[in-house]
Amino acid sequence: MMAFGLIALIAGAASALMFASIVSGALISLVLFYLAPLPLMVASIGWGPLCASLGGIAAAVGLGALFGLPYCIAFAVTVALPACWLGHLVLLSRRTGPVTPEAATEPPAEPELEWYPVGRILLWIAGFAALTTIAALLTLGTDADTIIGTLRRGLMRLLRATDPQTSGEAGQFVDALVRIAPAAATIVAMMTLTLNLWLSAKVTATSGRLRRPWPDMMTAELPPMTLVGLCVALAFCFTGGLLAIFAQIVTAALMMGYAFTGFAVLHTLTLALKSRTFWLGSTYAVVVVFGWPVIAMVILGLADAVFGFRERFLRTRQPPPLPTP
């Protein structure tokens, strides 16, 4: 019990220090800030959600005592809550096979477990990314004009700090940045949460504390109703005001979810290629360097959700049935 509590405190302290490092303003602090959920996620997957919850509560209380209530709330919403819940989902399973042997002489059989699907975890990550972005925007104001004005003034101050002789064209550039800022922040939150969860699972798997088998990422798919939710969010993007900003955030999060499933589709459809490693590596390099080609992965993920490309491809790769005698 002492070791359990010590691990929780160490994970919470590490996460709190990484989160609070943003106060220093150093460039490396930005990397540490985005990796703040990692220690708590490792504790959640390796030692259970209760361990991460204790560490998260201790870290939030400590940050609140040192920096004030806003830091406490921000840490709890953006770091502790996603880390604990996603770690819980990674370990979530249910029995699908028999739990008793067929014969009395046989030894007890290990129950077959069905683990929480990767696609549903991805949907939860999208939800947390949208939640944290909305919460961050609400700290700037409670209506669309106030939020946009605050963002514009902040970006103009940064621009003037780097270039005091800012021209009128810079104002148009800043206006364009303000329009895409909520969606861009959601994409960053989505990517960092996914990276943190993948790294924490790798760490616990390397240490031998990952209790679930490593999932086949090529089978990851979002629930069917996600497409309906995306269509609804897209429709609300044209309403205007605060509702439209929130809808843009949700749309960006769900589209990034389909981008991840698009990569899974790409990994599946290239199984028959001899130069598969080259094509996959080239695709990842182009997406990382330029960014915008990720739209192709979004389209591929959406097309697979509608037409089932992976299912058709895998069906054609199955060997033909043996002839009946």
Side-chain angles (χ1 to χ4, degrees):
M1 191 63 185
M2 286 290 293
F4 183 86
L6 185 61
I7 291 169
L9 290 177
I10 292 174
S15 188
L17 287 173
M18 295 167 74
F19 181 83
S21 66
I22 197 68
V23 178
S24 67
L27 185 60
I28 188 63
S29 66
L30 189 61
V31 179
L32 295 175
F33 175 79
Y34 282 123
L35 292 176
L38 183 59
L40 288 176
M41 282 186 178
V42 171
S44 182
I45 298 174
W47 286 268
L50 178 60
C51 180
S53 299
L54 293 175
I57 292 171
V61 171
L63 286 172
L66 292 174
F67 300 102
L69 184 61
Y71 275 84
C72 173
I73 297 174
F75 178 84
V77 173
T78 63
V79 177
L81 179 60
C84 297
W85 184 249
L86 292 175
H88 165 69
L89 294 179
V90 167
L91 301 178
L92 193 62
S93 64
R94 62 182 180 184
R95 292 176 177 174
T96 58
V99 296
T100 57
E102 295 181 0
T105 57
E106 294 182 5
E110 291 260 342
E112 295 181 8
L113 297 178
E114 179 185 2
W115 297 93
Y116 199 74
V118 175
R120 292 184 179 273
I121 295 177
L122 192 60
L123 185 60
W124 276 102
I125 293 175
F128 279 121
L131 173 66
T132 55
T133 307
I134 289 172
L137 287 181
L138 288 177
T139 62
L140 305 178
T142 56
D143 61 272
D145 293 335
T146 304
I147 292 173
I148 292 174
T150 305
L151 286 174
R152 192 180 190 282
R153 288 191 296 270
L155 288 174
M156 286 297 294
R157 281 197 298 268
L158 288 176
L159 198 61
R160 290 196 181 100
T162 55
D163 184 11
Q165 297 180 349
T166 304
S167 62
E169 295 180 357
Q172 299 176 357
F173 176 69
V174 168
D175 288 338
L177 284 181
V178 168
R179 295 297 176 183
I180 65 173
T186 307
I187 292 172
V188 172
M190 180 87 177
M191 293 176 63
T192 53
L193 270 178
T194 306
L195 177 63
N196 277 305
L197 187 61
W198 183 83
L199 286 174
S200 59
K202 278 293 184 182
V203 169
T204 51
T206 304
S207 63
R209 297 199 64 91
L210 183 62
R211 294 196 289 273
R212 71 176 287 171
W214 193 262
D216 184 5
M217 298 299 181
M218 291 192 297
T219 62
E221 59 180 0
L222 296 174
M225 288 302 294
T226 307
L227 194 58
V228 178
L230 177 60
C231 294
V232 173
L234 275 171
F236 279 110
C237 288
F238 300 96
T239 57
L242 195 61
L243 181 60
I245 295 177
F246 290 169
Q248 292 168 12
I249 291 171
V250 174
T251 300
L254 293 180
M255 281 191 171
M256 276 305 296
Y258 279 110
F260 285 124
T261 60
F263 281 109
V265 175
L266 184 66
H267 276 261
T268 304
L269 299 183
T270 55
L271 284 173
L273 296 179
K274 293 182 179 179
S275 55
R276 179 172 182 260
T277 304
F278 169 76
W279 288 110
L280 290 176
S282 300
T283 303
Y284 279 105
V286 169
V287 170
V288 170
V289 172
F290 297 101
W292 63 264
V294 76
I295 297 173
M297 294 297 102
V298 176
I299 296 172
L300 186 58
L302 288 170
D304 179 72
V306 176
F307 301 107
F309 289 152
R310 276 180 292 185
E311 184 181 352
R312 295 183 183 183
F313 175 79
L314 294 175
R315 195 184 304 132
T316 59
R317 284 177 56 86
Q318 291 177 354
L322 296 175
T324 55

